[in-house]
PDB file of all heavy atoms in Angstrom:
ATOM      1  N   ASN A 151     -20.904   4.035   4.837  1.00  0.00           N
ATOM      2  CA  ASN A 151     -20.730   3.402   3.522  1.00  0.00           C
ATOM      3  C   ASN A 151     -19.573   4.035   2.755  1.00  0.00           C
ATOM      4  O   ASN A 151     -18.765   3.331   2.129  1.00  0.00           O
ATOM      5  CB  ASN A 151     -22.018   3.501   2.706  1.00  0.00           C
ATOM      6  CG  ASN A 151     -23.094   2.553   3.206  1.00  0.00           C
ATOM      7  OD1 ASN A 151     -22.796   1.519   3.806  1.00  0.00           O
ATOM      8  ND2 ASN A 151     -24.349   2.895   2.957  1.00  0.00           N
ATOM      9  N   ALA A 152     -19.504   5.355   2.792  1.00  0.00           N
ATOM     10  CA  ALA A 152     -18.392   6.049   2.140  1.00  0.00           C
ATOM     11  C   ALA A 152     -17.069   5.668   2.788  1.00  0.00           C
ATOM     12  O   ALA A 152     -16.073   5.420   2.101  1.00  0.00           O
ATOM     13  CB  ALA A 152     -18.603   7.558   2.196  1.00  0.00           C
ATOM     14  N   HIS A 153     -17.061   5.585   4.116  1.00  0.00           N
ATOM     15  CA  HIS A 153     -15.843   5.243   4.857  1.00  0.00           C
ATOM     16  C   HIS A 153     -15.335   3.857   4.443  1.00  0.00           C
ATOM     17  O   HIS A 153     -14.134   3.676   4.184  1.00  0.00           O
ATOM     18  CB  HIS A 153     -16.134   5.276   6.359  1.00  0.00           C
ATOM     19  CG  HIS A 153     -14.922   5.162   7.217  1.00  0.00           C
ATOM     20  ND1 HIS A 153     -14.613   6.102   8.176  1.00  0.00           N
ATOM     21  CD2 HIS A 153     -13.935   4.231   7.286  1.00  0.00           C
ATOM     22  CE1 HIS A 153     -13.480   5.743   8.775  1.00  0.00           C
ATOM     23  NE2 HIS A 153     -13.070   4.605   8.256  1.00  0.00           N
ATOM     24  N   LYS A 154     -16.243   2.898   4.373  1.00  0.00           N
ATOM     25  CA  LYS A 154     -15.840   1.536   4.002  1.00  0.00           C
ATOM     26  C   LYS A 154     -15.241   1.508   2.602  1.00  0.00           C
ATOM     27  O   LYS A 154     -14.232   0.842   2.347  1.00  0.00           O
ATOM     28  CB  LYS A 154     -17.042   0.596   4.098  1.00  0.00           C
ATOM     29  CG  LYS A 154     -17.512   0.327   5.516  1.00  0.00           C
ATOM     30  CD  LYS A 154     -18.799  -0.506   5.525  1.00  0.00           C
ATOM     31  CE  LYS A 154     -19.316  -0.708   6.944  1.00  0.00           C
ATOM     32  NZ  LYS A 154     -20.612  -1.434   6.964  1.00  0.00           N
ATOM     33  N   SER A 155     -15.882   2.228   1.674  1.00  0.00           N
ATOM     34  CA  SER A 155     -15.410   2.254   0.287  1.00  0.00           C
ATOM     35  C   SER A 155     -14.013   2.856   0.195  1.00  0.00           C
ATOM     36  O   SER A 155     -13.111   2.287  -0.447  1.00  0.00           O
ATOM     37  CB  SER A 155     -16.372   3.058  -0.587  1.00  0.00           C
ATOM     38  OG  SER A 155     -15.855   3.241  -1.885  1.00  0.00           O
ATOM     39  N   ILE A 156     -13.807   3.999   0.838  1.00  0.00           N
ATOM     40  CA  ILE A 156     -12.509   4.670   0.777  1.00  0.00           C
ATOM     41  C   ILE A 156     -11.455   3.837   1.503  1.00  0.00           C
ATOM     42  O   ILE A 156     -10.310   3.703   1.036  1.00  0.00           O
ATOM     43  CB  ILE A 156     -12.592   6.076   1.384  1.00  0.00           C
ATOM     44  CG1 ILE A 156     -13.628   6.938   0.641  1.00  0.00           C
ATOM     45  CG2 ILE A 156     -11.225   6.753   1.351  1.00  0.00           C
ATOM     46  CD1 ILE A 156     -13.309   7.201  -0.798  1.00  0.00           C
ATOM     47  N   ALA A 157     -11.821   3.253   2.650  1.00  0.00           N
ATOM     48  CA  ALA A 157     -10.863   2.452   3.427  1.00  0.00           C
ATOM     49  C   ALA A 157     -10.371   1.246   2.618  1.00  0.00           C
ATOM     50  O   ALA A 157      -9.186   0.897   2.671  1.00  0.00           O
ATOM     51  CB  ALA A 157     -11.498   1.992   4.729  1.00  0.00           C
ATOM     52  N   ILE A 158     -11.276   0.619   1.867  1.00  0.00           N
ATOM     53  CA  ILE A 158     -10.881  -0.525   1.035  1.00  0.00           C
ATOM     54  C   ILE A 158      -9.887  -0.072  -0.029  1.00  0.00           C
ATOM     55  O   ILE A 158      -8.885  -0.756  -0.300  1.00  0.00           O
ATOM     56  CB  ILE A 158     -12.121  -1.170   0.388  1.00  0.00           C
ATOM     57  CG1 ILE A 158     -12.936  -1.927   1.450  1.00  0.00           C
ATOM     58  CG2 ILE A 158     -11.717  -2.117  -0.744  1.00  0.00           C
ATOM     59  CD1 ILE A 158     -14.278  -2.427   0.957  1.00  0.00           C
ATOM     60  N   GLN A 159     -10.130   1.086  -0.626  1.00  0.00           N
ATOM     61  CA  GLN A 159      -9.213   1.591  -1.647  1.00  0.00           C
ATOM     62  C   GLN A 159      -7.832   1.887  -1.066  1.00  0.00           C
ATOM     63  O   GLN A 159      -6.806   1.614  -1.703  1.00  0.00           O
ATOM     64  CB  GLN A 159      -9.792   2.853  -2.294  1.00  0.00           C
ATOM     65  CG  GLN A 159     -11.063   2.592  -3.096  1.00  0.00           C
ATOM     66  CD  GLN A 159     -11.613   3.849  -3.735  1.00  0.00           C
ATOM     67  OE1 GLN A 159     -10.928   4.519  -4.516  1.00  0.00           O
ATOM     68  NE2 GLN A 159     -12.845   4.197  -3.400  1.00  0.00           N
ATOM     69  N   PHE A 160      -7.800   2.417   0.151  1.00  0.00           N
ATOM     70  CA  PHE A 160      -6.515   2.656   0.808  1.00  0.00           C
ATOM     71  C   PHE A 160      -5.833   1.326   1.116  1.00  0.00           C
ATOM     72  O   PHE A 160      -4.621   1.188   0.961  1.00  0.00           O
ATOM     73  CB  PHE A 160      -6.711   3.461   2.093  1.00  0.00           C
ATOM     74  CG  PHE A 160      -6.693   4.945   1.873  1.00  0.00           C
ATOM     75  CD1 PHE A 160      -7.809   5.591   1.358  1.00  0.00           C
ATOM     76  CD2 PHE A 160      -5.573   5.692   2.167  1.00  0.00           C
ATOM     77  CE1 PHE A 160      -7.800   6.958   1.159  1.00  0.00           C
ATOM     78  CE2 PHE A 160      -5.551   7.061   1.960  1.00  0.00           C
ATOM     79  CZ  PHE A 160      -6.665   7.700   1.452  1.00  0.00           C
ATOM     80  N   SER A 161      -6.615   0.348   1.563  1.00  0.00           N
ATOM     81  CA  SER A 161      -6.057  -0.956   1.907  1.00  0.00           C
ATOM     82  C   SER A 161      -5.498  -1.664   0.673  1.00  0.00           C
ATOM     83  O   SER A 161      -4.444  -2.307   0.729  1.00  0.00           O
ATOM     84  CB  SER A 161      -7.133  -1.817   2.569  1.00  0.00           C
ATOM     85  OG  SER A 161      -6.674  -3.124   2.805  1.00  0.00           O
ATOM     86  N   GLU A 162      -6.214  -1.535  -0.435  1.00  0.00           N
ATOM     87  CA  GLU A 162      -5.804  -2.212  -1.674  1.00  0.00           C
ATOM     88  C   GLU A 162      -4.850  -1.353  -2.512  1.00  0.00           C
ATOM     89  O   GLU A 162      -4.382  -1.792  -3.554  1.00  0.00           O
ATOM     90  CB  GLU A 162      -7.049  -2.552  -2.505  1.00  0.00           C
ATOM     91  CG  GLU A 162      -7.970  -3.565  -1.827  1.00  0.00           C
ATOM     92  CD  GLU A 162      -9.223  -3.843  -2.635  1.00  0.00           C
ATOM     93  OE1 GLU A 162      -9.519  -3.050  -3.570  1.00  0.00           O
ATOM     94  OE2 GLU A 162      -9.917  -4.836  -2.337  1.00  0.00           O
ATOM     95  N   HIS A 163      -4.602  -0.120  -2.063  1.00  0.00           N
ATOM     96  CA  HIS A 163      -3.700   0.812  -2.747  1.00  0.00           C
ATOM     97  C   HIS A 163      -4.178   1.129  -4.164  1.00  0.00           C
ATOM     98  O   HIS A 163      -3.360   1.314  -5.082  1.00  0.00           O
ATOM     99  CB  HIS A 163      -2.268   0.264  -2.775  1.00  0.00           C
ATOM    100  CG  HIS A 163      -1.809  -0.269  -1.453  1.00  0.00           C
ATOM    101  ND1 HIS A 163      -1.831   0.489  -0.298  1.00  0.00           N
ATOM    102  CD2 HIS A 163      -1.337  -1.484  -1.087  1.00  0.00           C
ATOM    103  CE1 HIS A 163      -1.381  -0.237   0.720  1.00  0.00           C
ATOM    104  NE2 HIS A 163      -1.092  -1.450   0.269  1.00  0.00           N
TER     105      HIS A 163
END
Side-chain angles (χ1 to χ4, degrees):
N151 286 334
H153 189 125
K154 290 174 183 176
S155 173
I156 301 297
I158 288 172
Q159 294 180 58
F160 272 78
S161 175
E162 295 178 345
H163 314 305

